[in-house]
Amino acid sequence: MTEAAAALAPRVTVLLSGNEAVARGAWEAGVLVASAYPGTPSTEILENLAAMEGVSAEWAPNEKVAYETAFGGCLAGVRSLAAMKHVGVNVAADPLFTSVYTGVNGGLVLISADDPGMHSSQNEQDNRRYAPFARLPMLEPADSAEARDMATLAFQLSEDLGLPVMLRLTTRVSHSKSLVELGERRVPAPKAYRKDPAKYVMVPANARVRRVDLERRLERARAAAEASPLNRVEWASGSEHRAAGATSSAGAAGARHLGVITAGIAYQYAREALGDGASYFKVGMTYPLPIERIREFAAQVDDVLIVEELDPYMEEAIAAAGVRPRSGRPAVGKAVLPAIGELSPARVRRGAQLAGFLPGLPDPVAARADAGETAVVPEADPAPALPDRPPVLCPGCPHRAAFWVLRRLGAVITGDIGCYTLGAAPPLSAMDSCICMGASITVGHGFAKAQERLRALHAVGEANEANEANEADKADKADEANEADATGGDTPSKPVIAVIGDSTFFHSGITGLMNVVYNQSDVVTVVLDNRTTGMTGHQPNPGTGVTLQGVGAPVLQPEDIARALRVPFVEVVDPNDAAAFEDTLRRALGSGGPAVVVARAPCVLLRSVKPKKPYRVDAAACNACRACTRIGCPAIMFTGTRVEIDRSLCRGCAACVALCRQNAIREEGVDL
Amino acid sequence: MTAVTNVLLAGVGGQGTILAGKILAEVLRRKGHDVKLSEIHGMSQRGGSVVTYVRFGEKVFAPVVEQGEADFLLAFEKLEALRWAPFLRSQGGVVIVNDEIIQPLAVNLGQAAYPHDVVGRLQGPGRLVIVADGAAMAAQAGDTRTQNVALCGVLARQMVAALRGDWQAVIATMVPPKTVEANLAAFGLGWEAGGRVGQDQALLVGRSL
Ligand code: SF4
Ligand code: SF4
């Protein structure tokens, strides 16, 4: 097609989520290498790229591997990206911080999808902080069209500046659909690969040189930010706005002209809440901030409100630069807007009212915030007295069967990240800790080591007590008893069980297990191996024998890895067989050293798993004691007078059968 | 500012609310509207409470609907209808509630009670509350998994934003190929039912205050 014909051809507009748009934008920019570890809300980026032509798209075992893979692609001269959720960037932070020293060959883009409000995450860290911390440029889209554009531009920017570029998304951008005009893919000529140790071998002598060069590149990035069309001003409607020095003209005569500085999804909330009566500085490139243009903007308005989700990231930089509106009043931000959780138009409206920028009194909760009590704490959603509906393990989930046995062993259960974290919730309540990917085994190891020391202390204490018994008066004895309590009394011998899923084991469990073997603790590691990455929507992993793009791969078995790590006790068992599972666990606990029990049963949502015959409750035999409900299966319903099994939900796993002392739970069609 | 119409689709993870929202948004896109759809997945997929927001009009900024703003609430389950009812306009609004009860775990454990008189509590000034039997329509269409599309049919008839054929064209491209026929049948039943509000008590009960 000639260019003219292309211009005449109808442009295709489609509805895309932010994640789909990022994949599309990267693809149009000619990305060739992409790697990621699945994590909400980032997962669909690689899933979409994998289906597009001409891209090597992979699930890496973890985010550090993903980022280093992308770096390798960039080193070879092609455009490359790595995508991850916010906490994944912590895992990839090591290579990230040095990759800004080396800089890039082909364009390199890091996509961080943050989760304000923690819809599916263990924290809500604001990854914008990574940009100034690691010193890499950052772009923040506010909808899918921008996500597409910025994903494309990021590669060019990366190559122009010689720096990796971070594209920062949030859940509401990643998982909202809006209109996107599609473009065509253009793969740029690859950059020639030239061996250049001074640039790419970061030994101290080279790194010191690159450290200085980094500042030069950042200087260029600052200039790029000041010139970037991604940063734009939208003047208040009806304002015959002229350049600096113009008098206020927004709204009614004498009304103060409000200038809003905002970025990402917060821009949409601000536009929704404050309308056309305010002027906006929409920041698209949020590191380096275009501080001189922001200064110019501020000089033309009477008040400045900074609307950003989570941390006062822009607010701090703007304050540090001494930016003020022409009234001289300080810019307002987190003094009136929550720094915790997601923003919303209502929260922005309330903040603007608190600051006196909008007429009307804020509601009482916000008024309390005004009094300085809880300005940073969002108001709780007005909760009608309705039963909650939190996520639960699916009917027939093998994790339920596993936890039902695990909770009976009187062990400390250190947990990990995945569907099985739901086992921490009542009624199973079978988890003591959950911190981050891979932390089950390592935290368990530390716990076991502490108990070892406490046991030693305890033994010494008891010996001393026996020696001094004759001389000690009553008060001393009481003190010693307290000391014994402080060391845990009788408790420092609790068995420790680390529970980790298969994908999490591959992600970062293996190193921890190596440590258990090397530094010898008696932690029993239970790998809940359901042959998939369940929580994020069933992605393949190194244990599944297939890759993201559907290519066959060797099946890595956790038990083989454990044996290779010289774990002395390694067994595989089906957790749906409660008796066998319990027996294996007890033997593992009794083995007195590191042990691995692989509890293998596939996720019931996998297409290959056919449901078994559903069970039912024999109404005549059931005395409504509700013992069976304690296993927390959503298929078991208590109607107020009777217990029933919803046959459309029941997967026939039989986990509940043994709980019924009346033998009322039977296979469909079986009567006693 | 130009008017934006707000639709909430609420249900329980696994009920197909997400697909229903996608179909609605695509219909609206083809009608030339600016559309935004927002949903939360992740942990909420595992039988948790889920909601999809769809907003359309000439220009839409925020992708989320706020309390007191929804023009339409399509609830796939009764308790979820009640949970999201505060999002409806205080005056008017249309609620379509599936005649379906899925007890949350706390109710099954006897720790909480399932609310009584859901339909009564959904009523409001100038509001139309329609109870739709999605399961019956899906069964009649020959595939129990087409409840979501049957409910879309009821909504479609109430929304007047698009014609029957607009919806059918989108459904045909968005549901799994093998289920197109059943889904179109389910949609048709929903559409018919939506037009008989207040008449056919067996299939559909319509009440208006
Ligand atoms: S998706 Fe699979 S692993 Fe997750 S709760 Fe359901 S059955 Fe269990
Ligand atoms: S009702 Fe019993 S047999 Fe059926 S899925 Fe639940 S626990 Fe398994």
Side-chain angles (χ1 to χ4, degrees):
Chain A
M1 210 186 309
T2 67
E3 235 166 71
L8 287 176
R11 297 223 176 101
V12 185
T13 301
V14 293
L15 262 176
L16 295 184
S17 71
N19 282 349
E20 291 166 335
V22 165
R24 178 73 194 195
W27 182 77
E28 288 177 9
V31 71
L32 291 185
V33 172
S35 187
Y37 182 79
T40 313
S42 71
T43 310
E44 301 81 10
I45 297 169
L46 258 276
E47 287 182 329
N48 277 280
L49 259 178
M52 296 176 182
E53 219 183 297
V55 185
S56 166
E58 303 180 341
W59 289 135
N62 68 34
E63 294 85 353
K64 174 170 144 65
V65 175
Y67 187 74
E68 288 161 353
T69 299
F71 184 81
C74 133
L75 185 63
V78 309
R79 293 186 165 182
S80 305
L81 72 79
M84 54 203 66
K85 68 184 291 171
H86 58 333
V87 288
V89 179
N90 301 337
V91 179
D94 198 357
L96 174 65
F97 277 69
T98 305
S99 67
V100 295
Y101 281 39
T102 63
V104 306
N105 189 23
L108 175 59
V109 175
L110 165 70
I111 300 161
S112 166
D114 294 12
D115 191 16
M118 295 170 272
H119 295 287
S120 320
S121 306
Q122 65 270 40
N123 76 30
E124 62 171 5
Q125 65 185 53
D126 188 336
N127 273 13
R128 293 179 302 168
R129 301 282 196 193
Y130 266 113
F133 189 12
R135 297 178 144 77
L136 77 164
M138 166 169 62
L139 308 180
E140 277 189 82
D143 60 21
S144 300
E146 285 192 356
R148 199 288 306 262
D149 292 350
M150 289 185 185
T152 306
L153 278 167
F155 288 99
Q156 192 61 51
L157 197 62
S158 168
E159 286 163 7
D160 291 349
L161 297 174
L163 281 166
V165 170
M166 176 162 128
L167 185 63
R168 191 254 191 176
L169 313 170
T170 54
T171 301
R172 289 288 174 196
V173 172
S174 286
H175 287 171
S176 293
K177 284 179 183 272
S178 56
L179 301 176
V180 179
E181 213 173 82
L182 300 183
E184 275 163 30
R185 173 160 158 105
R186 287 201 181 82
V187 183
K191 311 273 178 200
Y193 172 67
R194 196 169 52 84
K195 185 168 175 169
D196 187 356
K199 184 176 175 194
Y200 295 116
V201 180
M202 284 301 94
V203 292
N206 292 341
R208 284 184 206 112
V209 178
R210 293 303 292 172
R211 173 71 187 85
V212 177
D213 185 73
L214 168 59
E215 292 306 314
R216 282 192 210 109
R217 282 174 282 149
L218 278 175
E219 203 43 60
R220 294 216 307 278
R222 265 184 279 274
E226 296 292 349
S228 174
L230 298 179
N231 304 317
R232 64 168 194 268
V233 174
E234 294 169 9
W235 293 113
S237 75
S239 82
E240 291 147 31
H241 203 89
R242 291 170 303 241
T247 52
S248 168
S249 48
R256 280 147 59 186
H257 183 182
L258 174 63
V260 179
I261 300 169
T262 183
I265 194 69
Y267 161 79
Q268 310 287 5
Y269 299 150
R271 285 298 318 236
E272 191 80 36
L274 306 172
D276 296 340
S279 294
Y280 299 85
F281 194 109
K282 157 77 167 73
V283 194
M285 184 166 178
T286 44
Y287 187 80
L289 279 172
I291 209 76
E292 292 316 315
R293 279 178 67 192
I294 289 175
R295 197 187 303 281
E296 259 172 53
F297 172 76
Q300 298 172 70
V301 297
D302 298 308
D303 287 292
V304 166
L305 177 65
I306 301 166
V307 181
E308 57 188 324
E309 216 163 50
L310 298 181
D311 290 0
Y313 161 78
M314 295 196 293
E315 188 179 344
E316 286 170 3
I318 288 167
V323 171
R324 292 210 164 191
R326 63 183 169 201
S327 64
R329 286 185 287 266
V332 181
K334 292 299 170 186
V336 298
L337 292 168
I340 297 175
E342 292 189 290
L343 286 182
S344 68
R347 283 179 185 158
V348 174
R349 219 172 281 126
R350 211 172 290 130
Q353 285 174 331
L354 270 175
F357 300 150
L358 268 191
L361 282 177
D363 64 36
V365 181
R368 250 190 294 129
D370 195 21
E373 261 181 57
T374 54
V376 294
V377 181
E379 77 290 356
D381 283 329
L386 294 173
D388 277 346
R389 196 190 297 275
V392 288
L393 294 170
C394 300
C397 175
H399 297 333
R400 174 177 296 105
F403 280 121
W404 186 250
V405 173
L406 281 164
R407 72 202 284 272
R408 288 207 298 255
L409 301 175
V412 169
I413 301 176
T414 53
D416 227 301
I417 309 255
C419 277
Y420 50 91
T421 315
L422 297 171
L428 292 168
S429 307
M431 199 172 282
D432 290 73
S433 70
C434 168
I435 308 293
C436 66
M437 294 288 287
S440 55
I441 305 177
T442 43
V443 169
H445 176 75
F447 200 100
K449 281 290 166 188
Q451 291 200 128
E452 249 176 62
R453 285 299 103 209
L454 287 173
R455 281 199 293 273
L457 273 181
H458 203 68
V460 173
E462 269 175 5
N464 288 346
E465 205 175 313
N467 288 342
E468 294 163 12
N470 295 335
E471 302 154 39
D473 63 23
K474 271 185 180 174
D476 280 349
K477 263 188 188 164
D479 278 352
E480 276 166 22
N482 285 341
E483 240 169 66
D485 270 356
T487 62
D490 288 335
T491 53
S493 52
K494 273 194 161 228
V496 181
I497 300 180
V499 170
I500 187 168
D502 48 338
S503 194
T504 311
F505 180 74
F506 296 124
H507 179 284
S508 48
I510 297 169
T511 335
L513 183 59
M514 194 187 305
N515 186 50
V516 168
V517 174
Y518 179 50
N519 285 308
Q520 292 294 308
S521 65
D522 53 5
V523 172
V524 173
T525 298
V526 175
V527 182
L528 294 175
D529 183 3
N530 67 352
R531 315 307 299 165
T532 187
T533 315
M535 185 91 263
T536 44
H538 303 91
Q539 290 75 23
N541 65 45
T544 60
V546 65
T547 70
L548 169 59
Q549 291 185 307
V551 179
V555 177
L556 300 190
Q557 300 286 25
E559 63 272 25
D560 293 342
I561 294 172
R563 288 190 191 107
L565 292 176
R566 309 277 300 267
V567 176
F569 181 108
V570 180
E571 284 191 26
V572 182
V573 61
D574 180 354
N576 288 313
D577 184 342
F581 184 46
E582 181 164 352
D583 172 66
T584 311
L585 284 171
R586 290 200 186 278
R587 282 186 294 109
L589 287 168
S591 72
V596 168
V597 174
V598 178
R600 177 164 297 140
C603 170
V604 288
L605 294 191
L606 289 177
R607 234 167 285 149
S608 56
V609 178
K610 296 280 167 268
K612 297 196 189 111
K613 260 191 164 184
Y615 280 76
R616 67 185 173 85
V617 176
D618 183 333
C622 169
N623 66 359
C625 73
R626 306 216 308 266
C628 56
T629 62
R630 284 181 298 126
I631 202 163
C633 175
I636 305 178
M637 300 202 303
F638 177 57
T639 63
T641 49
R642 280 176 310 136
V643 171
E644 286 171 10
I645 290 178
D646 183 334
R647 57 170 319 210
S648 68
L649 292 176
C650 175
R651 303 275 311 198
C653 76
C656 57
V657 174
L659 271 70
C660 179
R661 274 189 233 110
Q662 313 303 320
N663 279 326
I665 302 179
R666 318 226 176 102
E667 253 180 90
E668 197 84 353
V670 177
D671 284 306
L672 285 189
Chain B
M1 256 192 288
T2 49
V4 169
T5 305
N6 297 314
V7 187
L8 231 84
L9 298 96
V12 177
Q15 280 193 302
T17 51
I18 288 179
L19 178 62
K22 282 184 186 164
I23 291 171
L24 168 62
E26 177 63 12
V27 168
L28 295 166
R29 180 192 75 76
R30 293 191 188 183
K31 295 305 275 185
H33 293 286
D34 187 19
V35 191
K36 283 191 178 168
L37 170 152
S38 184
E39 69 205 12
I40 295 294
H41 17 180
M43 294 201 96
S44 47
Q45 276 178 325
R46 305 280 168 264
S49 168
V50 288
V51 68
T52 299
Y53 306 114
V54 178
R55 310 189 70 213
F56 66 98
E58 204 180 306
K59 172 76 189 159
V60 180
F61 288 106
V64 296
V65 177
E66 295 195 276
Q67 295 221 5
E69 282 192 341
D71 301 284
F72 295 91
L73 167 60
L74 176 59
F76 289 53
E77 198 270 351
K78 286 174 143 183
L79 168 58
E80 296 311 311
L82 216 46
R83 192 187 309 284
W84 296 98
F87 279 68
L88 282 160
R89 307 196 160 287
S90 53
Q91 292 284 323
V94 175
V95 185
I96 297 158
V97 55
N98 192 14
D99 193 13
E100 165 98 356
I101 290 177
I102 301 177
Q103 295 196 150
L105 208 54
V107 172
N108 284 334
L109 292 170
Q111 292 161 351
Y114 195 91
H116 292 294
D117 188 28
V118 169
V119 176
R121 287 167 69 181
L122 286 172
Q123 306 289 346
R127 184 177 293 164
L128 175 63
V129 180
I130 300 170
V131 183
D133 193 340
M137 292 187 278
Q140 203 182 328
D143 185 342
T144 53
R145 285 164 307 175
T146 60
Q147 270 203 51
N148 55 348
V149 174
L151 294 170
C152 274
V154 183
L155 175 72
R157 192 65 173 268
Q158 290 296 325
M159 275 183 66
V160 301
L163 302 175
R164 186 175 185 161
D166 300 327
W167 284 83
Q168 287 166 329
V170 171
I171 290 167
T173 60
M174 291 188 75
V175 301
K178 279 184 197 156
T179 67
V180 170
E181 210 179 307
N183 273 296
L184 286 177
F187 176 80
L189 289 166
W191 178 272
E192 296 302 331
R196 283 201 306 271
V197 169
Q199 295 165 24
D200 189 334
Q201 300 291 315
L203 183 62
L204 196 81
V205 186
R207 270 176 239 166
S208 181
L209 277 185

